[in-house]
Amino acid sequence: MLPDLAAAETYRIATYAAPLSRDGPGLLLRDILKGEDAQIAAVQSVVTRHAPDVLLLTDFDYDLDGAALAAFADMFGDQYPHRFALRPNAGMPTGLDLDRNGRTGEPRDAQGYGRFAGDGGMAILSRYPVGEVTDLSDILWRDLPGATLPKDFYSDAVLAVQRLSSTGHWIVPLDLPDGPMTLLAFSATPPVFDGPEDRNGLRNRDELRMWQVLLDGGFGPPPTDFVIAGNANLDPVDGDGFSGAMAAFLADRRLQDPLPGKDTADWPDDGAGDLRVSYVLPAAEWLVADAGVFWPASDLPEAALLGSDGLAAGPHHLVWVDVSR
């Protein structure tokens, strides 16, 4: 019997590497509460325009009490009664010299690059209740099956503490009206800003492979009714990093790629150009009704995305997919 598409509930799932990180702890909350930040207002406008049911933000500063996330969610009225965030690996001190430059306590010596604890974390806004989240962010890089670490670069002491996730990997159950959905949320390191050891490139690839291992049953029974979302920082064709790994992942028959070939970010100033780095990838069982990437037209207020410092807010654009059962 064919499904009744007219009666099926449709859900919009989105991810957005919106520039909601600041130069120090507490500054994002300050800027939200002041209500005068053009950058934050532009991000609010983008989110309001597309009204996702579930939104994963992948550049959002974390604070212990969730004050910044609550204040940001309140900007949308009662649209997002359910909010979720965990402390990211970004900015989490290790006490070790991870980049081997002879100094400790610097941003690249944290578990993931970060100028302070919570710098550029992840956050979820949802219309629907969030269940008990499984956090894979503390898995050591060396413990991922098939991991490839930079050869002869890390000491045994570093290998004993270096986590795989530069920001986080979460298994997030959502209680939708017609049944459960599992959001697999992540944000990976850019595969650049290192040396010939290619530690960021290798780590970026293994952060993507975390989901492959999960779907293969490497962490127990794999989830069903899932949607993978986040910033992989990896294009399947162009740019730096192991593009072939992204292309192979998108070809996995357990997934759907609703936006093949659609770029999600642009770096006009550094020559990288347009790249596809953010993804919303439903499981094969979902019915995809629509999908898109929001690129602001020049006549829209979101086009400039200017922050309080007068600089362009960032290269990333909101990615969304509408799914039903």
Side-chain angles (χ1 to χ4, degrees):
M1 180 177 177
L2 294 175
D4 184 356
L5 297 180
E9 188 87 21
T10 300
Y11 307 101
R12 175 161 292 182
I13 314 301
T15 190
Y16 191 10
L20 295 172
S21 182
R22 295 296 182 264
D23 292 333
L27 298 184
L28 177 60
L29 176 61
R30 176 203 66 183
D31 290 348
I32 293 172
L33 295 179
K34 285 175 65 175
E36 300 172 354
D37 191 296
Q39 185 181 62
I40 293 172
V43 171
Q44 179 191 18
S45 180
V46 171
V47 173
T48 299
R49 180 182 296 274
H50 293 87
D53 296 298
V54 179
L55 172 63
L56 170 66
L57 298 163
T58 59
D59 191 15
F60 195 100
D61 288 344
Y62 171 86
D63 62 81
L64 182 61
D65 297 323
L69 181 58
F72 184 70
D74 288 345
M75 295 174 66
F76 303 94
D78 59 358
Q79 183 174 350
Y80 297 114
H82 306 284
R83 304 95 184 248
F84 179 81
L86 291 172
R87 181 183 179 183
N89 286 340
M92 184 181 293
T94 65
L96 300 173
D97 180 17
L98 296 192
D99 61 357
R100 295 179 54 178
N101 69 350
R103 297 183 295 273
T104 59
E106 297 182 325
R108 289 186 173 86
D109 298 320
Q111 287 288 359
Y113 179 90
R115 299 159 295 174
F116 56 90
D119 184 10
M122 302 192 300
I124 292 173
L125 299 180
S126 176
R127 295 181 187 273
Y128 307 111
V130 176
E132 185 175 350
V133 173
T134 300
D135 184 14
L136 303 177
S137 307
D138 62 351
I139 292 175
L140 297 182
W141 187 355
R142 69 179 184 184
D143 291 341
L144 181 76
T148 304
L149 290 100
K151 186 177 180 180
D152 301 326
F153 187 79
Y154 283 145
S155 66
D156 290 342
V158 170
L159 291 174
V161 301
Q162 176 66 81
R163 299 179 176 189
L164 171 59
S165 301
S166 56
T167 307
H169 284 77
W170 303 341
I171 304 174
V172 184
L174 297 164
D175 185 13
L176 306 186
D178 63 353
M181 169 188 285
T182 300
L183 182 70
L184 304 179
F186 79 123
S187 182
T189 185
V192 290
F193 310 120
D194 53 19
E197 80 286 347
D198 198 20
R199 67 177 185 137
N200 289 337
L202 294 170
R203 187 180 190 184
N204 172 275
R205 180 174 65 180
D206 276 349
E207 287 190 85
L208 179 65
R209 286 190 57 253
M210 173 83 86
W211 297 136
Q212 190 77 52
V213 171
L214 176 79
L215 296 180
D216 289 343
F219 300 112
T224 58
D225 296 316
F226 64 84
V227 175
I228 299 173
N231 181 7
N233 261 316
L234 189 61
D235 187 288
V237 178
D238 299 315
D240 295 299
F242 293 91
S243 295
M246 192 74 242
F249 190 71
L250 294 174
D252 191 315
R253 293 185 178 181
R254 294 170 292 188
L255 310 175
Q256 298 182 69
D257 181 6
L259 295 165
K262 298 292 186 181
D263 294 325
T264 67
D266 61 292
W267 283 271
D269 296 333
D270 63 8
D274 298 348
L275 294 174
R276 186 182 187 195
V277 292
S278 292
Y279 299 85
V280 178
L281 305 172
E285 292 75 18
W286 288 99
L287 301 174
V288 174
D290 202 0
V293 181
F294 178 63
W295 287 68
S298 60
D299 60 341
L300 295 177
E302 299 94 336
L305 283 177
L306 296 181
S308 57
D309 60 357
L311 300 176
H316 298 276
H317 305 290
L318 183 140
V319 181
W320 57 270
V321 175
D322 292 344
V323 297
S324 63
R325 300 184 196 275

